[in-house]
Amino acid sequence: MSRRALVVEGGAMRGIFAAGVLDAFLESGHRGFDFAVGVSAGSTNLIGYLAGDHGRSRRIITDHACRPDFINWKRFASGGHLCDVHWLWHQSLKEVPLSLERHWQGEIPLWVVTTSARDGSPCYFRARPDNLDHLVTASCSIPLAYRGYPAVEGQAMTDGGLADSIPVQWAYRQGARDITVVLSRPQGYRKRPDSLAPLLRPFMKDAPGVYHAMRRRAHVYNASLDFIASPPPDCRVRVVAPDEDFPVRRLTTDGARLARGYEQGRQAGQQIMATIL
């Protein structure tokens, strides 16, 4: 049976684009997916969408994620987190309502991607009430920027974007034949091998899998882009991606740039609706 999947890439503050896209989906009442899978910030955007909380992700990215409690270079220089994703997730839950019960009672399961710190393999977990906090923290925890490796089901994990930034091929293996992909980079982007990765190897002695995933990341990422550009004959892939002039980078905190990024995503979401409905 053909299944419909929604795949959302991460990208830290670039996730403001997906926040706009998913708000446009909510405005249109569109929930026509059999499952959704998110990576890093993509997973937090998705939980807001699946819970039906319009505007929640935008508020968190433009407010909480811009506070020094989240991104703090001085704290990082003294041995702390650069990006405290644990604080961001839990503080936003306290201050911005999230209709989790509506999601748990819904029909669209959320899958979250993490990367094994032991061997660098991608791990795909279905979100449940008892693991959501751990999954979100792990999937969003950029190596070195977040000190340590959060545990999920007893295994040390890190940023899901290292091992599978755009899990479109995984969605296909789950039976999806109609896939909507929300990217955080403009179409035509190709990831280059990280020339600095070898310099980070000494810092990865306790997590060799993380270094392995870093070295393979560009290859895996570009393979996903190849799949999107030329999917199998039995599969349709719709792509929602930022324009070339997208103003937001990974750690952008400028309010005006974030506002433009959100509106660009919302407009792109409205445009793609014509091909979905």
Side-chain angles (χ1 to χ4, degrees), residues 188-208:
Y189 170 80
R190 302 286 291 187
K191 187 172 287 296
R192 297 178 180 178
D194 188 351
S195 60
L196 297 179
L199 301 178
L200 300 177
R201 189 168 191 172
F203 302 98
M204 307 294 177
K205 292 181 179 179
D206 59 337

Side-chain angles (χ1 to χ4, degrees), residues 6-12 14 37-43 46 111-115 120-124 139 158-170 181-185 189 191 213-214 216-225 228 250:
L6 174 59
V7 177
V8 181
E9 185 183 4
R14 287 196 298 266
V37 54
V39 184
S40 190
S43 64
L46 275 174
W111 292 79
V112 178
V113 185
T114 64
T115 299
S121 63
C123 300
Y124 309 88
S139 187
T158 191
D159 179 9
L162 286 182
D164 194 358
S165 297
I166 314 170
V168 62
Q169 295 180 79
W170 178 85
V181 183
V182 182
L183 300 177
S184 60
R185 299 272 196 177
Y189 170 80
K191 187 172 287 296
M214 284 181 171
R216 285 183 45 81
R217 187 178 188 187
H219 170 76
V220 174
Y221 190 97
N222 292 334
S224 295
L225 294 178
I228 291 169
R250 180 176 290 272

Side-chain angles (χ1 to χ4, degrees), residues 26 52 55 62 105 138-139 151-152 164 171 180 183 186 189 191 193 198 201 234 238 242 251 269 277:
L26 286 175
T62 58
Q105 295 171 9
S139 187
V152 178
D164 194 358
T180 300
L183 300 177
Y189 170 80
K191 187 172 287 296
R201 189 168 191 172
D234 65 342
R238 299 181 183 85
L251 297 181
L277 297 179

